[in-house]
Amino acid sequence: MQKTSTPTDTLAQEFVRFAVNAGALRFGESKTKAGRLSLYLFNAGGFDDGAKLGRLASFYARRLVDSGARFDMLFGPAYKGIVLAAAVAIELARLGRNVPFTYNRKEAKDHGEGGHLVGAPLAGRVVVIDDVISAG
């Protein structure tokens, strides 16, 4: 009997094809920053134009919505997570789920609004949006 794909499986397959075509996902041995051997390399820098970033945000937002996860806001860690969280917030709003987001700075500012955090105050259930994908 042939297994039928679920919407989640289909979304995952579409994402992998998209990531490979964008050059963001490459297969082959590589060493992680932590020094572990990995059979793939994921580099979100491959999503380097508006169309690719928009499509990536669509995948993240659809996965969040489909998961049924309860969350109140998004957080994007510096640096790549900032752009990703902003793009996902835009896509979620487009899908009818308008949520606030915030991000951090690597170094605190002592002028303007100051501090390490920018955006909405961190509150409630927070989803962290980042570019790190690993097997553990």
Side-chain angles (χ1 to χ4, degrees), residues 14 19 34 65 73 93 102:
E14 286 178 38
V65 170
M73 69 178 305
T102 193

Side-chain angles (χ1 to χ4, degrees), residues 70-119:
R70 294 173 40 205
F71 62 95
D72 302 306
M73 69 178 305
L74 305 176
F75 176 78
Y79 290 102
K80 289 179 184 172
I82 296 169
V83 172
L84 296 173
V88 173
I90 292 167
E91 183 62 17
L92 284 169
R94 194 185 68 72
L95 295 174
R97 177 86 196 274
N98 189 30
V99 296
F101 74 97
T102 193
Y103 59 91
N104 69 315
R105 295 185 175 103
K106 293 277 185 172
E107 298 84 25
K109 271 178 60 175
D110 60 3
H111 60 283
E113 73 276 12
H116 280 282
L117 299 177
V118 180

Side-chain angles (χ1 to χ4, degrees), residues 17-63:
R17 278 192 298 276
F18 165 63
V20 168
N21 290 338
L25 177 59
R26 296 185 202 129
F27 295 98
E29 287 189 4
S30 64
K31 192 173 271 195
T32 68
K33 188 175 181 179
R36 286 180 279 189
L37 188 63
S38 176
L39 298 177
Y40 62 89
L41 173 67
F42 184 85
N43 177 8
F47 305 114
D48 56 4
D49 64 34
K52 290 175 195 167
L53 181 60
R55 186 147 186 236
L56 177 64
S58 174
F59 280 110
Y60 275 62
R62 286 166 46 201
R63 175 62 84 193

